[in-house]
Amino acid sequence: MESIRFIHTADLHLGSPFIGMKGLRKEHWKKLKDSTLDAFDGLVRYALDEKPDFVLIVGDIYDGEDRSIRAQARFQKGMQQLAEQEIPVIISYGNHDHLSGNWTRFELPKNVHAFDDSVSQFRLETAGGPVVFTGFSYGKRHVSESMVEQYPAAEGLESYQIGMLHGSLDGDATHAVYAPFKKEQLLSKQYDYWALGHIHKRQELHREPSIVYPGNIQGRHRKESGTKGFYDVTLSKRDTSLEFIPTSVVQFDQVAVSIKGILHMNELIDACRRKLSLFGEAAGTAIVDIVFTEMDGESFQLLTEIPESELLETLQESMEALDHFIWIQEIRFQEADNEAELSPLGAVLVQTIEGWNTEEWKTILKDLYRHPKSSRFLAPLEDQSIADLQLAAAQKIRRSMQAGE
């Protein structure tokens, strides 16, 4: 059998709302809002240029079960472009775009095969030989049971066997646990390739056969940092070659800036500008957190003289002249390696804050959220926003007490 070549992508999250982004100008907000759609367009252009044997999309094509009309229109257009070049697409739907949702339906062209909510197989003839795909779509949002035992074992060597699974490696708590599996379960099926989705960080869990998460095609917040994209895969019965293809339109990341020995604000601004200029040359458009490192007595004294909100606004304005648009979303401070430097009072405060649950945070912040003016500008309190509050509060205490405030 000859080798086959295909694109493996997942977690497109077309139409992501980018909740919590504040302060961006209208044109920059539009670029961010359209970034998942533009990243998808980049994927389609690559496929049209390279003409792989097929394209795999493993779950969470859309960001929500309602599947916005705009996102569906862009996806349908992309599928039609691939159909005109006779490039097959095999898709499964995940927990975000499960089949039980309510949406205005778009008819996809005949080059697209979508799995239903039971594990099934689909056979495709390619120039390199026949390929058998095994997979399923989520029939409901929460598929907590293991599905991999329903996948039949590969039989014979006359075809390529590819498993498509949108789910979590058993024991991985970085994302909500759906359709959990153990690596040994996948290997026992004797497939040639496992195309995974759901985890937004690209990673290869095993080589020969490859068990691969491509990650998402566009980061959506600071925890989805770095360059995002998909894999161009060349597969034979002997080996597998993976080439990562970046698609990020806007990159989320952290940029460390040393403030050791800095006495004046212009020095601080210049240090940030130099670092972000170099970062922009590599990353292009980006939304970053500045992480100040190596804070000493002089730089601490400088930073105590200005509120963080005013410092953030000053730095944002100072970066407007950079060649690439880079928006500073937040200022952070590197934590000390040794938490024992905290005073007993500081340790108690940090421990107390980190122990507050969701209901306690809601009680503490109720006056702010009930305020008739300020409440309009606040995002709903969710697990992620509370985790960010806990981190920021704890860092503030550590920073103040470790520097002797």
Side-chain angles (χ1 to χ4, degrees), residues 348-389:
V348 170
L349 288 173
V350 169
Q351 185 178 12
T352 300
I353 289 173
E354 292 178 340
W356 287 340
N357 59 32
T358 300
E359 293 306 314
E360 288 171 318
W361 273 103
K362 288 182 177 180
T363 299
I364 291 162
L365 297 173
K366 66 180 181 180
D367 290 340
L368 181 62
Y369 273 81
R370 290 175 178 175
H371 193 279
K373 293 184 178 180
S374 64
S375 60
R376 292 181 299 160
F377 304 99
L378 297 173
L381 269 179
E382 299 174 346
D383 290 344
Q384 183 57 55
S385 58
I386 287 173
D388 291 341
L389 283 171

Short mmCIF file of all heavy atoms in Angstrom, two decimals, residues 348-389:
data_model
loop_
_atom_site.label_atom_id
_atom_site.label_comp_id
_atom_site.label_asym_id
_atom_site.label_seq_id
_atom_site.Cartn_x
_atom_site.Cartn_y
_atom_site.Cartn_z
N VAL A 348 -1.54 32.98 56.01
CA VAL A 348 -2.94 32.75 56.40
C VAL A 348 -3.89 33.42 55.41
O VAL A 348 -4.90 32.84 55.01
CB VAL A 348 -3.18 33.27 57.84
CG1 VAL A 348 -4.68 33.27 58.15
CG2 VAL A 348 -2.44 32.41 58.84
N LEU A 349 -3.56 34.65 55.00
CA LEU A 349 -4.41 35.36 54.05
C LEU A 349 -4.50 34.62 52.72
O LEU A 349 -5.59 34.45 52.15
CB LEU A 349 -3.88 36.77 53.83
CG LEU A 349 -4.06 37.77 54.98
CD1 LEU A 349 -3.34 39.07 54.67
CD2 LEU A 349 -5.54 38.04 55.23
N VAL A 350 -3.36 34.18 52.21
CA VAL A 350 -3.34 33.46 50.94
C VAL A 350 -4.14 32.16 51.06
O VAL A 350 -4.95 31.82 50.19
CB VAL A 350 -1.89 33.17 50.49
CG1 VAL A 350 -1.88 32.18 49.33
CG2 VAL A 350 -1.19 34.46 50.10
N GLN A 351 -3.92 31.44 52.14
CA GLN A 351 -4.63 30.18 52.34
C GLN A 351 -6.14 30.40 52.43
O GLN A 351 -6.93 29.62 51.89
CB GLN A 351 -4.12 29.48 53.60
CG GLN A 351 -4.73 28.09 53.83
CD GLN A 351 -4.15 27.42 55.07
OE1 GLN A 351 -3.47 28.06 55.88
NE2 GLN A 351 -4.41 26.14 55.21
N THR A 352 -6.53 31.47 53.10
CA THR A 352 -7.95 31.77 53.23
C THR A 352 -8.59 32.08 51.89
O THR A 352 -9.65 31.55 51.53
CB THR A 352 -8.15 32.97 54.19
OG1 THR A 352 -7.61 32.63 55.48
CG2 THR A 352 -9.64 33.30 54.33
N ILE A 353 -7.95 32.94 51.11
CA ILE A 353 -8.48 33.33 49.80
C ILE A 353 -8.56 32.12 48.87
O ILE A 353 -9.56 31.92 48.16
CB ILE A 353 -7.62 34.44 49.18
CG1 ILE A 353 -7.83 35.74 49.94
CG2 ILE A 353 -7.93 34.63 47.71
CD1 ILE A 353 -6.92 36.86 49.52
N GLU A 354 -7.53 31.30 48.87
CA GLU A 354 -7.52 30.13 47.98
C GLU A 354 -8.56 29.10 48.41
O GLU A 354 -8.92 28.22 47.61
CB GLU A 354 -6.13 29.51 47.94
CG GLU A 354 -5.11 30.42 47.24
CD GLU A 354 -3.70 29.85 47.24
OE1 GLU A 354 -3.42 28.95 48.08
OE2 GLU A 354 -2.89 30.28 46.42
N GLY A 355 -9.05 29.21 49.61
CA GLY A 355 -10.04 28.25 50.09
C GLY A 355 -11.48 28.66 49.86
O GLY A 355 -12.40 27.87 50.08
N TRP A 356 -11.71 29.91 49.43
CA TRP A 356 -13.08 30.36 49.19
C TRP A 356 -13.69 29.61 48.00
O TRP A 356 -13.05 29.48 46.95
CB TRP A 356 -13.12 31.86 48.90
CG TRP A 356 -12.87 32.71 50.12
CD1 TRP A 356 -12.99 32.34 51.42
CD2 TRP A 356 -12.45 34.09 50.13
NE1 TRP A 356 -12.68 33.39 52.25
CE2 TRP A 356 -12.34 34.48 51.49
CE3 TRP A 356 -12.16 35.01 49.15
CZ2 TRP A 356 -11.96 35.75 51.86
CZ3 TRP A 356 -11.78 36.28 49.51
CH2 TRP A 356 -11.68 36.64 50.86
N ASN A 357 -14.93 29.14 48.17
CA ASN A 357 -15.62 28.48 47.07
C ASN A 357 -16.44 29.50 46.28
O ASN A 357 -16.45 30.71 46.58
CB ASN A 357 -16.51 27.34 47.59
CG ASN A 357 -17.57 27.82 48.58
OD1 ASN A 357 -18.05 28.94 48.48
ND2 ASN A 357 -17.94 26.96 49.52
N THR A 358 -17.15 29.03 45.27
CA THR A 358 -17.89 29.92 44.37
C THR A 358 -18.93 30.75 45.13
O THR A 358 -19.07 31.97 44.92
CB THR A 358 -18.58 29.11 43.27
OG1 THR A 358 -17.59 28.40 42.53
CG2 THR A 358 -19.37 30.02 42.32
N GLU A 359 -19.67 30.11 46.03
CA GLU A 359 -20.71 30.83 46.75
C GLU A 359 -20.13 31.90 47.67
O GLU A 359 -20.70 32.98 47.83
CB GLU A 359 -21.56 29.83 47.56
CG GLU A 359 -22.38 28.89 46.71
CD GLU A 359 -23.27 29.65 45.71
OE1 GLU A 359 -23.92 30.63 46.13
OE2 GLU A 359 -23.30 29.26 44.54
N GLU A 360 -18.98 31.61 48.27
CA GLU A 360 -18.33 32.60 49.13
C GLU A 360 -17.86 33.81 48.32
O GLU A 360 -17.99 34.95 48.76
CB GLU A 360 -17.17 31.95 49.88
CG GLU A 360 -17.65 30.99 50.99
CD GLU A 360 -16.51 30.19 51.58
OE1 GLU A 360 -15.64 29.72 50.82
OE2 GLU A 360 -16.50 30.01 52.81
N TRP A 361 -17.32 33.56 47.12
CA TRP A 361 -16.91 34.67 46.27
C TRP A 361 -18.12 35.52 45.87
O TRP A 361 -18.06 36.74 45.80
CB TRP A 361 -16.20 34.15 45.02
CG TRP A 361 -14.73 33.94 45.22
CD1 TRP A 361 -14.08 32.76 45.42
CD2 TRP A 361 -13.72 34.96 45.28
NE1 TRP A 361 -12.74 32.97 45.58
CE2 TRP A 361 -12.48 34.30 45.50
CE3 TRP A 361 -13.73 36.34 45.16
CZ2 TRP A 361 -11.29 35.00 45.60
CZ3 TRP A 361 -12.53 37.03 45.25
CH2 TRP A 361 -11.32 36.36 45.47
N LYS A 362 -19.24 34.87 45.56
CA LYS A 362 -20.44 35.61 45.19
C LYS A 362 -20.93 36.49 46.34
O LYS A 362 -21.39 37.62 46.13
CB LYS A 362 -21.54 34.63 44.75
CG LYS A 362 -21.28 33.97 43.40
CD LYS A 362 -22.42 33.06 43.01
CE LYS A 362 -22.17 32.48 41.63
NZ LYS A 362 -23.27 31.56 41.20
N THR A 363 -20.83 35.96 47.55
CA THR A 363 -21.23 36.75 48.72
C THR A 363 -20.31 37.95 48.91
O THR A 363 -20.76 39.07 49.16
CB THR A 363 -21.22 35.87 49.98
OG1 THR A 363 -22.15 34.80 49.81
CG2 THR A 363 -21.62 36.68 51.21
N ILE A 364 -19.02 37.73 48.76
CA ILE A 364 -18.03 38.79 48.97
C ILE A 364 -18.18 39.90 47.93
O ILE A 364 -18.03 41.10 48.23
CB ILE A 364 -16.61 38.19 48.91
CG1 ILE A 364 -16.36 37.28 50.14
CG2 ILE A 364 -15.54 39.28 48.84
CD1 ILE A 364 -15.21 36.33 49.97
N LEU A 365 -18.53 39.52 46.69
CA LEU A 365 -18.60 40.48 45.60
C LEU A 365 -20.03 40.96 45.30
O LEU A 365 -20.25 41.64 44.30
CB LEU A 365 -17.99 39.87 44.33
CG LEU A 365 -16.51 39.50 44.41
CD1 LEU A 365 -16.09 38.74 43.16
CD2 LEU A 365 -15.65 40.74 44.59
N LYS A 366 -20.97 40.62 46.15
CA LYS A 366 -22.37 40.90 45.83
C LYS A 366 -22.64 42.40 45.66
O LYS A 366 -23.42 42.81 44.79
CB LYS A 366 -23.29 40.31 46.90
CG LYS A 366 -23.17 40.94 48.28
CD LYS A 366 -24.13 40.26 49.26
CE LYS A 366 -24.01 40.91 50.64
NZ LYS A 366 -24.94 40.26 51.62
N ASP A 367 -22.01 43.24 46.49
CA ASP A 367 -22.26 44.68 46.38
C ASP A 367 -21.79 45.22 45.02
O ASP A 367 -22.45 46.08 44.42
CB ASP A 367 -21.55 45.44 47.51
CG ASP A 367 -22.20 45.17 48.87
OD1 ASP A 367 -23.37 44.76 48.88
OD2 ASP A 367 -21.53 45.39 49.90
N LEU A 368 -20.67 44.72 44.55
CA LEU A 368 -20.15 45.15 43.25
C LEU A 368 -21.08 44.72 42.12
O LEU A 368 -21.39 45.49 41.21
CB LEU A 368 -18.75 44.55 43.04
CG LEU A 368 -18.04 44.93 41.74
CD1 LEU A 368 -17.80 46.43 41.66
CD2 LEU A 368 -16.72 44.17 41.62
N TYR A 369 -21.56 43.48 42.20
CA TYR A 369 -22.41 42.96 41.13
C TYR A 369 -23.84 43.52 41.19
O TYR A 369 -24.57 43.43 40.21
CB TYR A 369 -22.43 41.43 41.16
CG TYR A 369 -21.30 40.82 40.38
CD1 TYR A 369 -20.02 40.72 40.93
CD2 TYR A 369 -21.49 40.38 39.08
CE1 TYR A 369 -18.97 40.18 40.20
CE2 TYR A 369 -20.45 39.84 38.33
CZ TYR A 369 -19.19 39.74 38.90
OH TYR A 369 -18.15 39.22 38.17
N ARG A 370 -24.22 44.06 42.33
CA ARG A 370 -25.54 44.67 42.45
C ARG A 370 -25.54 46.16 42.10
O ARG A 370 -26.60 46.78 42.00
CB ARG A 370 -26.08 44.49 43.87
CG ARG A 370 -26.46 43.05 44.20
CD ARG A 370 -26.87 42.93 45.66
NE ARG A 370 -27.28 41.57 46.00
CZ ARG A 370 -27.61 41.17 47.23
NH1 ARG A 370 -27.58 42.04 48.23
NH2 ARG A 370 -27.97 39.93 47.44
N HIS A 371 -24.36 46.72 41.93
CA HIS A 371 -24.27 48.15 41.66
C HIS A 371 -24.90 48.44 40.29
O HIS A 371 -24.58 47.77 39.30
CB HIS A 371 -22.81 48.60 41.67
CG HIS A 371 -22.65 50.08 41.70
ND1 HIS A 371 -22.75 50.87 40.57
CD2 HIS A 371 -22.40 50.93 42.74
CE1 HIS A 371 -22.56 52.13 40.89
NE2 HIS A 371 -22.34 52.20 42.20
N PRO A 372 -25.79 49.43 40.20
CA PRO A 372 -26.52 49.65 38.94
C PRO A 372 -25.64 50.06 37.77
O PRO A 372 -26.01 49.84 36.62
CB PRO A 372 -27.50 50.77 39.31
CG PRO A 372 -26.93 51.42 40.52
CD PRO A 372 -26.23 50.33 41.27
N LYS A 373 -24.49 50.66 38.03
CA LYS A 373 -23.62 51.09 36.93
C LYS A 373 -22.51 50.07 36.66
O LYS A 373 -22.32 49.63 35.52
CB LYS A 373 -23.02 52.46 37.25
CG LYS A 373 -24.06 53.59 37.28
CD LYS A 373 -23.39 54.94 37.49
CE LYS A 373 -24.43 56.07 37.49
NZ LYS A 373 -23.80 57.38 37.70
N SER A 374 -21.76 49.71 37.69
CA SER A 374 -20.61 48.84 37.47
C SER A 374 -21.01 47.45 37.01
O SER A 374 -20.28 46.80 36.25
CB SER A 374 -19.76 48.74 38.74
OG SER A 374 -20.49 48.12 39.78
N SER A 375 -22.17 46.95 37.44
CA SER A 375 -22.58 45.58 37.12
C SER A 375 -22.74 45.36 35.62
O SER A 375 -22.60 44.23 35.12
CB SER A 375 -23.88 45.22 37.84
OG SER A 375 -24.92 46.10 37.45
N ARG A 376 -23.02 46.44 34.87
CA ARG A 376 -23.21 46.30 33.42
C ARG A 376 -21.92 45.90 32.71
O ARG A 376 -21.96 45.34 31.61
CB ARG A 376 -23.71 47.61 32.82
CG ARG A 376 -25.12 48.00 33.26
CD ARG A 376 -25.53 49.31 32.60
NE ARG A 376 -24.65 50.40 32.99
CZ ARG A 376 -24.52 51.53 32.30
NH1 ARG A 376 -25.17 51.69 31.16
NH2 ARG A 376 -23.73 52.49 32.75
N PHE A 377 -20.80 46.19 33.32
CA PHE A 377 -19.52 45.93 32.67
C PHE A 377 -18.82 44.67 33.19
O PHE A 377 -17.69 44.39 32.81
CB PHE A 377 -18.59 47.14 32.87
CG PHE A 377 -19.18 48.43 32.39
CD1 PHE A 377 -19.77 49.32 33.28
CD2 PHE A 377 -19.17 48.75 31.05
CE1 PHE A 377 -20.33 50.50 32.83
CE2 PHE A 377 -19.72 49.94 30.59
CZ PHE A 377 -20.31 50.82 31.48
N LEU A 378 -19.50 43.91 34.02
CA LEU A 378 -18.88 42.74 34.63
C LEU A 378 -19.37 41.46 33.95
O LEU A 378 -20.57 41.30 33.71
CB LEU A 378 -19.21 42.68 36.12
CG LEU A 378 -18.68 43.84 36.98
CD1 LEU A 378 -19.23 43.73 38.40
CD2 LEU A 378 -17.17 43.86 36.99
N ALA A 379 -18.43 40.57 33.65
CA ALA A 379 -18.79 39.26 33.12
C ALA A 379 -19.37 38.42 34.25
O ALA A 379 -19.05 38.62 35.43
CB ALA A 379 -17.56 38.58 32.53
N PRO A 380 -20.26 37.46 33.94
CA PRO A 380 -20.82 36.60 34.99
C PRO A 380 -19.72 35.86 35.74
O PRO A 380 -18.68 35.50 35.17
CB PRO A 380 -21.70 35.62 34.19
CG PRO A 380 -21.99 36.31 32.91
CD PRO A 380 -20.79 37.15 32.60
N LEU A 381 -19.94 35.67 37.03
CA LEU A 381 -18.98 34.92 37.83
C LEU A 381 -19.07 33.45 37.47
O LEU A 381 -20.10 32.80 37.68
CB LEU A 381 -19.27 35.12 39.32
CG LEU A 381 -18.56 36.27 40.02
CD1 LEU A 381 -18.98 36.34 41.47
CD2 LEU A 381 -17.04 36.13 39.92
N GLU A 382 -18.00 32.91 36.93
CA GLU A 382 -17.92 31.50 36.58
C GLU A 382 -16.66 30.93 37.20
O GLU A 382 -15.83 31.65 37.75
CB GLU A 382 -17.91 31.33 35.06
CG GLU A 382 -19.19 31.86 34.40
CD GLU A 382 -19.11 31.82 32.88
OE1 GLU A 382 -17.99 31.64 32.37
OE2 GLU A 382 -20.15 31.95 32.24
N ASP A 383 -16.50 29.61 37.08
CA ASP A 383 -15.36 28.94 37.70
C ASP A 383 -14.03 29.55 37.24
O ASP A 383 -13.11 29.75 38.04
CB ASP A 383 -15.38 27.45 37.38
CG ASP A 383 -16.52 26.73 38.10
OD1 ASP A 383 -17.08 27.31 39.05
OD2 ASP A 383 -16.85 25.60 37.72
N GLN A 384 -13.94 29.86 35.93
CA GLN A 384 -12.69 30.39 35.41
C GLN A 384 -12.40 31.79 35.94
O GLN A 384 -11.28 32.10 36.35
CB GLN A 384 -12.73 30.42 33.87
CG GLN A 384 -11.43 30.90 33.24
CD GLN A 384 -10.25 30.07 33.66
OE1 GLN A 384 -10.26 28.85 33.52
NE2 GLN A 384 -9.21 30.70 34.21
N SER A 385 -13.41 32.67 35.97
CA SER A 385 -13.19 34.02 36.47
C SER A 385 -12.86 34.02 37.95
O SER A 385 -12.05 34.82 38.42
CB SER A 385 -14.41 34.90 36.19
OG SER A 385 -15.57 34.36 36.78
N ILE A 386 -13.46 33.11 38.71
CA ILE A 386 -13.15 33.01 40.14
C ILE A 386 -11.73 32.53 40.34
O ILE A 386 -11.00 33.01 41.21
CB ILE A 386 -14.17 32.09 40.83
CG1 ILE A 386 -15.52 32.81 40.93
CG2 ILE A 386 -13.68 31.67 42.22
CD1 ILE A 386 -16.63 31.94 41.44
N ALA A 387 -11.30 31.57 39.52
CA ALA A 387 -9.91 31.10 39.62
C ALA A 387 -8.93 32.22 39.33
O ALA A 387 -7.90 32.36 40.00
CB ALA A 387 -9.68 29.94 38.65
N ASP A 388 -9.26 33.09 38.36
CA ASP A 388 -8.40 34.23 38.05
C ASP A 388 -8.36 35.22 39.22
O ASP A 388 -7.31 35.79 39.54
CB ASP A 388 -8.88 34.93 36.79
CG ASP A 388 -8.67 34.10 35.53
OD1 ASP A 388 -7.84 33.18 35.59
OD2 ASP A 388 -9.34 34.37 34.52
N LEU A 389 -9.52 35.45 39.85
CA LEU A 389 -9.57 36.33 41.01
C LEU A 389 -8.71 35.80 42.15
O LEU A 389 -7.98 36.55 42.81
CB LEU A 389 -11.01 36.50 41.48
CG LEU A 389 -11.92 37.43 40.66
CD1 LEU A 389 -13.36 37.29 41.13
CD2 LEU A 389 -11.45 38.87 40.80
#
